[in-house]
């Protein structure tokens, strides 16, 4: 599989949250309460633009139940709603066993233990273990006596699954009872926040695959506020492990690249793998270091830079920076202008507020975007502004790589 397809597949999995629970039990009060809780969890996560998958909605005529259960096992995140019915259900426990077969499942599973699941007492655990031991004995008799001549039969497969469940049941129950997870029946918002924060932390490692283009004033002599912000940006982009794209100019491009390179050296990474200058044929970037990609002069100077970029940050600017914004807008690439550096960045800031594109800007609100309109009078205040900028960068990148639909492969 090509690298870009493999990466897309990782993103697709990380955007999916499976819910494993016992359903088809709306006739009892416990069953109705369980269904209502699962509905509430799904609504909360869908409102945050996650892709929720539950077998009740996923399975249709002709779809393989076994294949779906195995998909749940491979899922990056699984909410397991454990009830007495779940612990005695062949289908539910097959899902559970598939889950614990996969590496690092402990960090990806969020158990919800309902009151009727008696797994915290020695007697309760013994009762469930005894139940599956009895199911295993019945299954073994079926295999040994009735199905010996037909190992490929459906009944033989069912019996084999029951034996597998009985062998791994104790591991599953120990994990569920030992895992510290917030119970949504007692603190619903805290449970949802716990899940979302885990996914956000996992997304950090994906930043190293994303590229930020910084464009701005292209003169050797730049105002102090532009210089301070460019220095802080170079350091912060490297600290957050993003890749950097520049147009190879003097001024902002040089300052950002210089500070970025210093941080990359401290992290013992190869600069050529993290910094790319896109410059016209026959020109060399002012900053000496990183990788160079050549392009045709003119419009391609902007388009080829943007082709590599997931997000654009604008610092100051006297004309060409505004054109970067216009091309980025056409290419549907999010832009963050540092408004207090004035020039083109201020002009872009005002235009973006007048025509706010909430879809392109991820979950960032216009109010949060307005908070960037701060005054810079020294390096310290410039650092504060850049921290706020990077907070918005991280939100947009997270939404772009984790919440947007990913085409099936």
């Amino acid at each position: 599989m090509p690298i870009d397809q493999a990466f897309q597949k990782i993103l697709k999995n990380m955007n999916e949250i499976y819910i494993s629970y016992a359903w088809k039990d709306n006739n009892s009060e416990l069953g109705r309460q369980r269904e209502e809780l699962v509905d509430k969890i799904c609504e909360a996560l869908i409102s945050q633009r996650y892709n929720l998958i539950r077998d009740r909605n996923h399975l249709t005529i002709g779809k393989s139940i076994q294949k779906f259960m195995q998909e749940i096992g491979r899922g990056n995140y699984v909410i397991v709603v454990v009830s007495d019915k779940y612990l005695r259900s062949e289908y539910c426990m097959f899902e559970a066993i598939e889950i614990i077969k996969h590496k690092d499942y402990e960090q990806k599973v969020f158990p919800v233990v309902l009151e009727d699941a008696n797994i915290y007492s020695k007697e309760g655990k013994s009762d469930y273990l005894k139940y599956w031991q009895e199911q295993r004995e019945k299954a073994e008799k079926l295999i040994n006596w009735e199905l010996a001549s037909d190992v490929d039969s459906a009944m033989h497969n069912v019996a084999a699954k029951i034996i597998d469940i009985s062998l791994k049941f104790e591991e599953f129950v120990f994990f569920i009872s030992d895992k510290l997870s917030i119970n949504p029946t007692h603190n619903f918002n805290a449970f949802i926040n716990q899940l979302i924060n885990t996914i956000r932390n996992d997304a950090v490692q994906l930043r190293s695959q994303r590229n930020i283009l910084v464009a701005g004033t292209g003169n050797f002599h730049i105002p102090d506020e532009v210089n301070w912000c460019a220095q802080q940006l170079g350091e912060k982009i490297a600290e957050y492990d993003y890749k950097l794209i520049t147009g190879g100019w003097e001024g902002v491009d040089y300052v950002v690249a210089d500070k970025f390179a210093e941080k990359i050296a401290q992290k013992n990474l190869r600069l050529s793998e993290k910094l790319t200058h896109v410059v016209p044929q026959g020109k060399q970037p002012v900053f000496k270091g990183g990788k160079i990609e050549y392009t045709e002069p003119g419009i391609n100077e902007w388009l080829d830079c943007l082709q590599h970029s997931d997000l654009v940050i604008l610092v100051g600017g006297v004309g060409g920076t505004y054109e970067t914004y216009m091309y980025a807008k056409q290419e549907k690439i999010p832009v963050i202008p540092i408004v207090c550096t004035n020039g083109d960045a201020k002009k872009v800031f005002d235009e973006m507020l007048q025509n706010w594109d909430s879809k392109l800007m991820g979950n960032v609100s216009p109010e949060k975007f307005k908070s960037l309109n701060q005054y810079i009078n020294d390096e310290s205040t410039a650092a504060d502004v850049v921290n706020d900028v990077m907070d918005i960068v991280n939100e947009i990148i997270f939404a772009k790589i984790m919440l947007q639909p990913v085409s099936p492969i």
Side-chain angles (χ1 to χ4, degrees):
M1 181 183 294
I3 293 176
D4 58 341
Q5 285 191 341
F7 184 61
Q8 286 291 308
K9 192 167 186 178
I10 291 171
L11 298 184
K12 180 176 184 294
N13 287 341
M14 292 188 75
N15 187 24
E16 292 178 344
I17 302 174
Y18 288 85
I19 297 188
S20 177
Y21 74 108
W23 52 291
K24 287 187 176 179
D25 187 22
N26 291 337
N27 294 326
S28 70
E29 181 60 28
L30 286 174
R32 284 191 292 272
Q33 290 175 3
R34 182 166 59 246
E35 198 73 25
E36 287 172 4
L37 175 62
V38 172
D39 287 342
K40 189 177 179 182
I41 291 171
C42 288
E43 288 168 6
L45 292 171
I46 288 171
S47 72
Q48 296 291 320
R49 293 161 55 202
Y50 288 98
N51 182 19
L52 267 291
I53 299 177
R54 57 200 283 193
D55 49 4
R56 188 191 70 182
N57 299 331
H58 184 80
L59 289 174
T60 57
I61 295 175
K63 281 199 173 182
S64 165
I65 292 176
Q66 180 171 343
K67 183 179 179 182
F68 175 76
M69 291 175 177
Q70 290 170 339
E71 285 177 359
I72 284 184
R74 290 192 295 269
N76 256 51
Y77 304 98
V78 184
I79 299 171
V80 181
V81 182
V82 182
S83 60
D84 180 72
K85 182 182 179 182
Y86 187 99
L87 293 168
R88 299 180 189 275
S89 164
E90 170 196 324
Y91 289 114
C92 293
M93 288 311 305
F94 180 66
E95 290 179 2
I97 298 311
E98 287 297 317
I99 290 166
I100 66 173
K101 284 180 180 179
H102 291 269
K103 183 182 178 182
D104 299 330
Y105 71 88
E106 295 95 338
Q107 305 302 319
K108 307 296 184 181
V109 176
F110 297 84
V112 178
V113 181
L114 302 183
E115 292 180 2
D116 66 329
N118 189 12
I119 63 171
Y120 294 111
S121 70
K122 184 177 179 180
E123 295 77 13
K125 289 179 182 177
S126 296
D127 182 50
Y128 292 122
L129 286 168
K130 181 180 178 183
Y131 174 81
W132 284 108
Q133 182 61 37
E134 291 172 353
Q135 300 307 307
R136 175 183 177 178
E137 290 171 0
K138 292 177 184 177
E140 287 176 337
K141 287 180 181 178
L142 236 100
I143 291 176
N144 293 334
W145 298 347
E146 299 177 21
L147 301 172
S149 61
D150 189 5
V151 295
D152 294 322
S153 71
M155 286 301 294
H156 192 284
N157 290 335
V158 169
K161 288 175 192 171
I162 291 173
I163 293 172
D164 198 25
I165 291 169
S166 71
L167 292 172
K168 295 183 174 65
F169 182 84
E170 188 170 9
E171 178 187 349
F172 173 76
V173 170
F174 176 80
F175 162 69
I176 292 296
S177 59
D178 192 56
K179 168 97 174 186
L180 291 176
S181 183
I182 298 170
N183 192 329
T185 58
H186 299 147
N187 195 334
F188 183 80
N189 289 336
F191 173 81
I192 296 299
N193 289 336
Q194 179 191 45
L195 176 58
I196 289 174
N197 287 336
T198 298
I199 298 173
R200 283 185 176 274
N201 290 336
D202 285 349
V204 169
Q205 64 182 329
L206 297 177
R207 288 178 185 157
S208 62
Q209 304 291 330
R210 317 313 285 187
N211 299 286
I212 295 178
L213 168 65
V214 177
T217 308
N219 301 323
F220 280 113
H221 301 289
I222 55 179
D224 285 341
E225 65 270 17
V226 172
N227 184 43
W228 294 329
C229 285
Q231 290 184 43
Q232 291 293 327
L233 268 179
E235 292 182 0
K236 289 297 180 181
I237 291 170
E239 283 180 14
Y240 282 110
D241 207 29
Y242 291 112
K243 296 180 180 180
L244 174 64
I245 308 291
T246 85
W249 293 86
E250 61 268 16
V252 166
D253 288 10
Y254 177 89
V255 174
V256 169
D258 184 49
K259 289 298 181 180
F260 180 84
E262 287 182 10
K263 281 291 180 182
I264 292 300
Q266 292 172 14
K267 298 173 81 168
N268 291 319
L269 299 173
R270 296 176 63 179
L271 187 61
S272 61
E273 295 178 354
K274 302 294 290 185
L275 171 62
T276 300
H277 307 285
V278 180
V279 300
Q281 293 283 353
K283 179 185 174 183
Q284 292 294 313
V286 178
F287 179 81
K288 306 303 179 185
K291 184 172 65 175
I292 303 173
E293 292 197 9
Y294 293 102
T295 184
E296 295 297 321
I299 187 174
N300 285 339
E301 293 181 54
W302 283 277
L303 294 181
D304 285 353
C305 273
L306 292 168
Q307 188 177 29
H308 291 78
S309 306
D310 297 287
L311 183 140
V312 179
I313 300 176
L314 305 181
V315 188
V318 289
T321 304
Y322 181 78
E323 289 193 63
T324 301
Y325 161 69
M326 293 300 294
Y327 287 120
K329 184 178 178 181
Q330 293 173 15
E331 297 300 311
K332 300 298 181 184
I333 297 172
V335 175
I336 302 179
I338 303 184
V339 56
C340 36
T341 57
N342 298 308
D344 290 347
K346 175 67 166 65
K347 181 179 180 181
V348 170
F349 179 83
D350 293 338
E351 285 192 19
M352 288 180 66
L353 279 177
Q354 290 176 4
N355 303 284
W356 187 252
D357 189 339
S358 57
K359 184 176 180 181
L360 186 61
M361 297 298 286
N363 289 329
V364 177
S365 66
E367 289 69 30
K368 185 165 186 176
F369 185 72
K370 288 177 185 176
S371 71
L372 296 180
N373 194 3
Q374 305 170 35
Y375 184 70
I376 294 177
N377 55 14
D378 55 25
E379 293 183 38
S380 176
T381 50
D384 292 339
V385 169
V386 170
N387 282 333
D388 290 342
V389 167
M390 293 307 300
D391 182 46
I392 292 178
V393 167
N394 291 335
E395 279 201 44
I396 294 173
I397 292 294
F398 177 81
K400 190 172 183 179
I401 66 177
M402 297 295 291
L403 302 179
Q404 297 299 327
V406 180
S407 301
I409 296 172

